[in-house]
Amino acid sequence: SVLTLLEDGTYNCVSATLVFNSLLEGLGIRTAAVELPTHTYSVIWVDGKRVEVETTHSVGFEPFRNEAEYQAFLRTRGLRVGVQGAESVLVKRDAGQRIVPNRVLLSYVYTNRATVAADDDEMVDAWRSYRRAAALVPEEAKNAFNRDALLHNLALSYLEEGEPSRAMRLLFAASRLGEGGGLSHKLRRLLIYTYDRLAELALEDGDLEELERIFVSANARLPHEPRVLELEASWIQKAAMGMADQGQ
């Protein structure tokens, strides 16, 4: 969390690089992040020259770039001879790197926050954090997938708690925002199931006007959907049978 860094100085490579780059961007200096499989650090451009800055190292830059600097780095650690030469170490370090915009790092912060919220069963907060991560980096498919998977689970939990109207509002809001695409088939099925539950509640209350409104909405939202047409016919039949039993 960036807030944790600002409050007590505790940080990791993501939050340190993000705050460092934000400060430099505020001064008009172009920045980005170098992303490795297990690490990230800053890269800046000064007078057209690229400069790498290691924000989690005490001297503020890469501890070694050549053999002489590598040997000096080893001596600071009380070591005389490295197992590998500097060139081998640097090649391995650079093999999996990519330069990414700062918004990618911010998306990681939101993803981490979503994971913690989900572990604490705070599903709404988790979904909101995944939404922010996906909005920051729309080209990263996994962010949208996580957002839509949590949307699906959250709506399903509302249904299981007997709150289909709440599930419907959630799904409609997501649809207006263009979300749910990553799990469109599952979300479509969930939406149909939600209409089914609403129809059941309407019939239990004997509210035929509400039943009609539900299927007008269903056919408008899911035109030519065979399952919606089947459910509509089924609930009309149940309503008619109930009215017949009551002599209506």
Side-chain angles (χ1 to χ4, degrees):
S1 168
V2 174
L3 185 59
T4 300
L5 185 157
L6 297 175
E7 287 180 342
D8 64 18
T10 303
Y11 61 89
N12 61 15
C13 58
V14 172
S15 58
T17 300
L18 187 57
V19 170
F20 180 80
N21 285 1
S22 297
L23 292 171
L24 265 63
E25 289 282 347
L27 297 173
I29 298 174
R30 178 189 167 199
T31 71
V34 178
E35 184 185 60
L36 299 166
T38 59
H39 185 47
T40 189
Y41 56 90
S42 175
V43 59
I44 66 176
W45 284 265
V46 181
D47 296 329
K49 180 182 178 182
R50 170 178 162 171
V51 179
E52 296 178 354
V53 181
E54 175 54 81
T55 55
T56 56
H57 191 267
S58 60
V59 295
F61 51 84
E62 277 294 297
F64 57 87
R65 299 169 189 274
N66 54 48
E67 193 63 37
E69 291 180 357
Y70 181 52
Q71 295 302 325
F73 168 75
L74 293 176
R75 286 194 293 274
T76 66
R77 297 296 187 270
L79 303 172
R80 288 183 297 175
V81 180
V83 177
Q84 305 176 78
E87 184 177 351
S88 175
V89 174
L90 290 171
V91 167
K92 287 185 177 181
R93 185 208 68 180
D94 296 342
Q97 76 168 219
R98 64 170 184 158
I99 296 179
V100 297
N102 295 314
R103 58 188 169 86
V104 172
L105 298 189
L106 189 55
S107 78
Y108 293 160
V109 173
Y110 279 118
T111 298
N112 290 339
R113 184 177 296 176
T115 302
V116 171
D119 288 343
D120 292 340
D121 205 29
E122 299 289 344
M123 304 307 288
V124 175
D125 288 343
W127 178 56
R128 287 171 178 166
S129 292
Y130 274 133
R131 286 182 62 203
R132 292 189 178 103
L136 283 165
V137 194
E139 62 270 24
E140 289 281 356
K142 62 182 179 181
N143 288 334
F145 180 86
N146 288 334
R147 175 201 65 199
D148 294 344
L150 202 62
L151 168 68
H152 178 272
N153 293 337
L154 185 57
L156 188 59
S157 71
Y158 290 156
L159 290 174
E160 291 172 346
E161 293 167 3
E163 299 184 82
S165 296
R166 194 176 182 188
M168 186 69 76
R169 288 196 299 271
L170 176 66
L171 293 171
F172 281 176
S175 177
R176 285 196 298 273
L177 294 170
E179 297 175 2
L183 293 173
S184 57
H185 179 64
K186 288 186 178 181
L187 290 175
R188 190 178 183 89
R189 287 170 53 192
L190 185 59
L191 191 57
I192 293 170
Y193 178 58
T194 305
Y195 276 120
D196 189 33
R197 287 288 293 120
L198 288 171
E200 181 180 11
L201 293 175
L203 195 57
E204 286 177 358
D205 294 338
D207 192 341
L208 299 184
E209 290 185 358
E210 176 63 14
L211 184 66
E212 181 179 6
R213 283 194 292 269
I214 288 167
F215 282 105
V216 167
S217 173
N219 282 294
R221 289 278 180 175
L222 302 166
H224 312 299
E225 170 60 53
R227 182 58 182 153
V228 170
L229 299 177
E230 290 173 8
L231 287 174
E232 183 177 17
S234 174
W235 284 111
I236 289 174
Q237 183 183 32
K238 290 176 183 178
M241 291 175 64
M243 294 170 68
D245 289 343
Q246 297 172 13
Q248 301 179 21

